[in-house]
Amino acid sequence: MTTLNWLDRPAEQGVTWGVPWRRGAVERAAVFALAGPEGRPVPVQSWVTATWPDGSVKWSAHAIGPQAEPAAPYELTARRPATDEEPAVPERPVTVVREDGVLRVSTGPVTWTIEETGDTLARSVSHGSREIARNIRLISLHQDGPTPDDAGTVTREQATGTVREVTVEQDGPVRAVIRLAGDHGGRLPFTVRLYFYAGAEDVRVMHTFVWDGDPERDFLAGLGLRADVVMRDELHDRHVRLAGQDGFLTEAVRGLTGLRRDPGEAVRRAQVEGRPCGPIGNPEVANRLHLIPAWNDHTLDQTSADGFTLRKRTADGHAWVTVPSGTRSAGYGYLGGTSGGLGFGLRDFWRLHPTRLDVRGAATGLATATVWLWSPSAPAMDLRFYHDGMGQDTFAEQLEGLEITYEDYEPGFGDAHGIARTHELTLRVHDATPSSVALAGHAAAMNEPPLLTAAPERLREAGVFGDWALPDRSTPAHAAIEDRLDLLFDFYRREREQRRWYGFWDYGDVMHTYDADRHTWRYDVGGYAWDNSELSPDLWLWYQYLRTGRADVFRFAEAMTRHTGEVDVYHLGRWKGLGTRHNVQHWGCSAKQLRISNAAYRRFFYYLTADERTGDLLDELARPEETFLAIDPTRKVREDVYTPDPSALAVGLGTDWGSLVAAWLTRWERHGDEHAKARLLGTMAGIGALPQGFLTGEARLDLATGRFDSSRDQISVSHLSSVFGLPEMCSELISLGLDVPGFERAWLDYCRLYLAPAEQQAAEVGHPLRGISLVQAHSRLTAYAAARSGDAGLAALAWRKFFLDEGDQLNSNPLQREPDWRLTRVEGPHVLAKVLEAPFVSTNDAAQYGLAAIQNLALIGDHLPTD
């Protein structure tokens, strides 16, 4: 039995979540049952998302519909399939009926009519027998140049998204998922998933688009989702609601409050509360209704993380009237009347600026509501590279540039063609105007979707994700490390806010390195700007969530996963399946590598939430080894003559193989993919057969056989090899007991020798290892060798390397040199705004400390020095 609680807060809407199971504990054909408080049976839909090598369930996914009393805890039980006990079924199951090229999805109260091809995501939406909305569609605005004040006259045209394929991924009885794929007139390919739950009035809309334009001539000026809303009520019984930061703009299309003549308190109160006004008894008002302006159009424009404007007008051709503005809109609205309407919104609305909510035609019989993912009020999206190359036309010149700005430039490589962005929207169908309290609840649930989670103790008991342990404050030394882990996360959470790490392409990422002279992060300095998963902050955050269960850590890691998996990775084109190294622009660096598109960074979120879009990202890496045909990651620093050869692909045994094995293992455990399994086991065997194992540094892979050439005998180590998920993946592989000859020995040798004394290295491999760096990060390798061997001397060495800044041949870690980790307040005319800063922190160092601390505590916490 597994106890489940809410991550943040309960919500009366459908929810999907994942649960891990110990190897051998749950058979693949098991039946799951869910009980609510006091043992009440809850209808649950379940499916398997991963299996152990023995075929038993490793991860399962579950979904429930809206609960009238969503209080926790819930109890999840796995039963043998032969049980006689009937599972609970929804009172109003979700159904999907396909007929004559049309899908009809019913949740009970609401029916969605979806055409299999065409220019809508849904042709009609009804609550009961009453149509509420129709023609739900995607729209985009395209320009052939940047904004007019930048380049003169430009042409702007509108396109509507065309659906070319519809797939039913799930069809109930609790949860249905419809996937729609298409494009905007042959460009901007999109994928939309619609999530339906039994008994629900809302549908979750997951929208992903891929940028496939030419940045020199294609400029996206607007991207949005639009719905027509049927308006039946009298003008004074029609309502518009738009969310501010704390509440809602509460408007009627024809207002009856504030007039010179009073319609009566009951009428005024009814209108403000969204109820029918009823007969207006005062003839001085009733006979003059036609003289009260009807406000046809409303707009809320979130141009930055710090401000939105509101305006409305009576009709096209008349002036806009300014409504008092605000700071951060919750991004939710309602359009309709007392007989029904549509709620609509965008999660992380202000964080993903520039965004906009539009209402048009509210005084007509068919109004429109538009959620703009990119506001047409903003300058057009400009994805051109940010400089002209400064003469860096050869590898030699580019390496010189790397030495001064840390930017790995190459002509034509700073190209956004193929990157993506995913947004989460909500549409909610109402049979009456909702109360302000209900609207606030809907907006909150949209921005922090409900999630059921197992406790950290239960996740740890399942034995997933390698080496981590629960927080331990049993001694002052343990408590000090836990305090610093908390401080590091809280520091980054604070930095995101005070440095405004928000925006359409930026939200979810963090900066790489700080500029203590300017008291800001190096947002404009080559490879020191956006981090793009450098040294695996994704892993650090997810492990910190697993061990603490903190909701704020989960939300931070979730946003990073959404960003790094979409924006920093190519989803079509010549670099499909690869990601981009850290840069001023997320796509700017010429290093296109698998270490950034790394499946290891996505697995946590996928398994904890069963998120289908993240599953797509993992599926894009079904054949990750083929990406090495596109480009040689080390082409600029090679001393040998090499071009990618399918029979002898150069694969680094650190960042490259660690990323490959993350994709293969995930593919195998999710889909039972025999190709992935063969690649995984074959390359493990190849590493085990290499004379120097992982210390070889690089091996040649034959794509036809999936095997390494194991004849290479050399010593070559890189300080980057073990900081992009390799230790975590090797630990998982060894714990699976796959019995691959020589593999565990090869990994333990590497772990044991990397930080060993130079004389020991020379004695075992003929010379001291060169290029030893990122010592604190690598202390967890020494800790792993100590834990596997029971060697107390190695455990002591690991802790010394964790705490002391010694032996680093390339870079030292300021977090080891700075004893107090104190924040300093900086303010005055020399800074843009007053800030709290920690100039000794970089994301490289934070990720090093976080992962090493978490894994060392798990592996050798009993050996932690007390002084």
Side-chain angles (χ1 to χ4, degrees):
M1 182 179 293
T2 297
T3 301
L4 303 165
N5 282 286
W6 295 106
L7 175 67
D8 311 277
R9 61 176 66 88
E12 295 180 17
Q13 66 182 59
V15 59
T16 300
W17 74 97
V19 175
W21 304 91
R22 284 183 293 107
R23 180 165 30 184
V26 177
E27 59 181 293
R28 179 72 189 246
V31 176
F32 293 93
L34 187 70
E38 301 178 358
R40 171 180 54 88
V42 177
V44 61
Q45 183 171 316
S46 305
W47 61 102
V48 175
T49 52
T51 57
W52 293 98
D54 65 3
S56 62
V57 176
K58 185 175 185 180
W59 284 90
S60 59
H62 310 274
I64 58 174
Q67 302 297 303
E69 297 178 4
Y74 291 85
E75 300 290 346
L76 181 69
T77 306
R79 301 171 179 166
R80 293 186 177 277
T83 181
D84 295 330
E85 188 172 345
E86 290 293 327
V89 295
E91 180 180 342
R92 294 183 291 182
V94 61
T95 60
V96 180
V97 177
R98 191 176 226 142
E99 187 177 47
D100 298 328
V102 173
L103 292 175
R104 287 185 175 83
V105 184
S106 174
T107 65
V110 179
T111 300
W112 294 71
T113 301
I114 300 169
E115 295 177 337
E116 296 196 66
T117 59
D119 58 2
T120 67
L121 303 179
R123 179 60 67 190
S124 179
V125 188
S126 299
H127 196 292
S129 60
R130 176 173 293 170
E131 185 183 38
I132 299 296
R134 62 177 71 145
N135 299 330
I136 296 171
R137 58 206 182 270
L138 299 176
I139 56 172
S140 57
L141 301 173
H142 303 264
Q143 288 183 186
D144 57 4
T147 51
D149 60 352
D150 207 16
T153 303
V154 297
T155 300
R156 177 178 284 195
E157 62 182 43
Q158 179 173 311
T160 301
T162 299
V163 175
R164 305 193 185 276
E165 181 183 15
V166 175
T167 304
V168 179
E169 295 185 330
Q170 289 189 333
D171 59 0
V174 174
R175 179 188 196 247
V177 182
I178 310 297
R179 181 183 183 273
L180 305 98
D183 54 65
H184 294 253
R187 57 186 170 187
L188 289 185
F190 66 80
T191 300
V192 171
R193 280 187 172 88
L194 304 177
Y195 291 88
F196 305 90
Y197 289 88
E201 294 181 318
D202 67 301
V203 60
R204 181 176 177 230
V205 182
M206 186 73 74
H207 171 274
T208 300
F209 86 103
V210 181
W211 173 256
D212 65 344
D214 178 347
E216 296 299 324
R217 57 185 180 86
D218 295 325
F219 298 83
L220 188 62
L223 182 66
L225 181 146
R226 177 169 290 168
D228 296 338
V229 181
V230 180
M231 306 294 282
R232 298 181 176 86
D233 301 292
E234 296 289 341
L235 294 180
H236 52 267
D237 280 337
R238 299 183 185 186
H239 306 117
V240 174
R241 306 287 189 259
L242 295 173
Q245 183 166 356
D246 302 313
F248 281 78
L249 176 73
T250 301
E251 298 280 85
V253 172
R254 174 179 283 158
L256 298 179
T257 65
L259 299 174
R260 187 175 186 184
R261 305 303 178 196
D262 186 8
E265 181 183 358
V267 171
R268 287 186 279 109
R269 180 175 298 174
Q271 186 176 69
V272 170
E273 293 177 356
R275 296 181 285 105
C277 290
I280 299 173
N282 184 347
E284 292 187 320
V285 177
N287 295 335
R288 297 187 177 102
L289 290 178
H290 64 288
L291 299 176
I292 303 172
W295 297 98
N296 200 53
D297 304 334
H298 296 71
T299 285
L300 187 154
D301 212 347
Q302 184 83 49
T303 55
S304 76
D306 294 307
F308 64 83
T309 58
L310 277 162
R311 58 187 188 273
K312 66 181 184 179
R313 67 183 181 184
T314 57
D316 190 13
H318 295 275
W320 290 94
V321 173
T322 301
V323 182
S325 59
T327 51
R328 293 173 170 177
S329 167
Y332 193 76
Y334 169 80
L335 170 62
T338 55
S339 64
L342 185 70
F344 52 93
L346 172 65
R347 184 184 182 190
D348 292 323
F349 182 79
W350 61 266
R351 296 180 179 92
L352 291 168
H353 66 82
T355 49
R356 196 167 102 178
L357 299 178
D358 279 350
V359 168
R360 298 289 184 268
T364 69
L366 193 66
T368 64
T370 306
V371 181
W372 291 101
L373 315 181
W374 183 277
S375 169
S377 308
M381 189 183 293
D382 190 344
L383 302 182
R384 293 173 293 180
F385 192 64
Y386 78 101
H387 67 69
D388 64 4
M390 300 175 288
Q392 298 177 74
D393 298 324
T394 66
F395 284 176
E397 291 166 332
Q398 293 155 27
L399 291 173
E400 284 296 301
L402 186 68
E403 288 298 316
I404 188 65
T405 65
Y406 203 30
E407 179 172 75
D408 190 356
Y409 172 80
E410 192 169 339
F413 276 65
D415 188 354
H417 184 96
I419 68 171
R421 196 48 154 151
T422 290
H423 293 79
E424 299 177 54
L425 302 96
T426 294
L427 297 174
R428 186 179 291 266
V429 184
H430 296 276
D431 61 356
T433 297
S435 69
S436 57
V437 172
L439 282 169
H442 300 159
M446 176 188 71
N447 281 300
E448 290 187 346
L451 182 68
L452 285 169
T453 62
E457 294 84 353
R458 172 63 179 78
L459 298 175
R460 183 71 193 91
E461 182 267 339
V464 293
F465 297 129
D467 303 312
W468 57 279
L470 303 178
D472 178 5
R473 297 180 178 274
S474 59
T475 71
H478 285 83
I481 294 178
E482 296 293 350
D483 288 344
R484 290 197 165 192
L485 285 170
D486 289 343
L487 186 151
L488 271 184
F489 170 73
D490 292 340
F491 171 75
Y492 272 87
R493 183 181 58 176
R494 185 187 304 110
E495 283 299 278
R496 181 171 68 185
E497 171 59 17
Q498 71 176 2
R499 309 292 179 174
R500 300 301 192 266
W501 291 340
Y502 303 118
F504 185 97
W505 292 114
D506 299 334
Y507 176 60
D509 206 353
V510 297
M511 284 280 170
H512 186 285
T513 303
Y514 198 71
D515 184 340
D517 295 310
R518 290 189 292 168
H519 304 289
T520 188
W521 292 78
R522 303 181 200 179
Y523 65 92
D524 57 351
V525 184
Y528 291 116
W530 291 112
D531 190 69
N532 288 32
S533 297
E534 185 70 1
L535 270 61
S536 305
D538 318 59
L539 294 181
W540 157 46
L541 291 168
W542 280 119
Y543 278 112
Q544 184 66 353
Y545 165 71
L546 291 178
R547 62 198 302 271
T548 65
R550 285 177 55 175
D552 54 354
V553 178
F554 180 95
R555 297 301 184 190
F556 201 103
E558 176 189 19
M560 181 173 286
T561 299
R562 283 275 182 236
H563 169 92
T564 59
E566 303 280 6
V567 180
D568 300 346
V569 175
Y570 290 95
H571 308 273
L572 55 77
R574 56 178 169 163
W575 299 312
K576 181 179 179 180
L578 297 174
T580 301
R581 174 183 172 269
H582 41 102
N583 192 261
V584 170
Q585 293 170 299
H586 299 285
W587 52 87
C589 185
S590 71
K592 312 296 185 185
Q593 296 183 7
L594 203 62
R595 78 188 202 196
I596 299 104
S597 58
N598 200 334
Y601 301 153
R602 324 287 171 230
R603 300 167 75 232
F604 299 86
F605 184 64
Y606 173 74
Y607 288 131
L608 290 165
T609 66
D611 177 69
E612 279 85 358
R613 174 55 190 166
T614 307
D616 291 346
L617 301 181
L618 294 170
D619 287 339
E620 288 178 4
L621 297 172
R623 299 289 188 271
E625 63 274 22
E626 295 176 3
T627 63
F628 288 86
L629 293 170
I631 190 171
D632 174 20
T634 58
R635 64 195 178 281
K636 296 186 183 182
V637 294
R638 279 198 175 276
E639 297 178 358
D640 58 347
V641 177
Y642 170 80
T643 55
D645 178 353
S647 65
L649 282 177
V651 174
L653 300 182
T655 59
D656 293 342
W657 189 78
S659 304
L660 286 169
V661 77
W664 290 329
L665 175 60
T666 306
R667 184 81 183 172
W668 178 25
E669 63 187 10
R670 288 183 65 214
H671 300 297
D673 189 319
E674 290 297 324
H675 172 92
K677 175 183 177 182
R679 289 293 195 262
L680 171 66
L681 298 178
T683 55
M684 288 175 68
I687 293 171
L690 285 166
Q692 305 299 336
F694 280 96
L695 292 166
T696 311
E698 181 185 273
R700 297 298 170 97
L701 177 68
D702 185 340
L703 277 185
T705 65
R707 295 277 181 159
F708 282 132
D709 176 357
S710 58
S711 65
R712 175 171 286 193
D713 189 356
Q714 68 174 35
I715 299 292
S716 177
V717 299
S718 167
H719 64 294
L720 296 178
S721 292
S722 293
V723 290
F724 288 87
L726 180 66
E728 291 74 21
M729 297 314 303
C730 285
S731 174
E732 281 202 54
L733 292 173
I734 291 169
S735 71
L736 291 176
L738 298 175
D739 192 27
V740 178
F743 179 80
E744 181 174 1
R745 173 198 52 79
W747 179 239
L748 288 176
D749 284 348
Y750 188 86
C751 292
R752 185 173 51 81
L753 286 174
Y754 187 91
L755 293 183
E759 56 273 16
Q760 181 182 347
Q761 295 172 346
E764 296 202 33
V765 301
H767 59 78
L769 301 179
R770 292 181 290 273
I772 300 300
S773 187
L774 303 179
V775 169
Q776 188 176 62
H778 283 83
S779 70
R780 70 190 195 274
L781 274 65
T782 310
Y784 184 82
R788 296 294 289 184
S789 64
D791 188 328
L794 276 177
L797 175 64
W799 281 121
R800 188 169 80 247
K801 295 297 185 179
F802 175 81
F803 284 114
L804 300 179
D805 181 24
E806 62 177 27
D808 198 307
Q809 300 172 15
L810 300 176
N811 302 285
S812 60
N813 187 345
L815 292 182
Q816 291 174 300
R817 299 195 308 270
E818 191 75 26
D820 294 331
W821 287 25
R822 291 181 180 175
L823 301 181
T824 303
R825 180 176 296 278
V826 179
E827 55 186 316
H830 62 297
V831 292
L832 185 64
K834 61 182 179 181
V835 295
L836 284 173
E837 71 172 9
F840 53 87
V841 175
S842 77
T843 300
N844 277 6
D845 300 330
Q848 278 190 71
Y849 184 94
L851 283 170
I854 289 168
Q855 292 173 26
N856 287 0
L857 286 172
L859 292 164
I860 54 171
D862 291 345
H863 296 271
L864 177 63
T866 58
D867 53 357

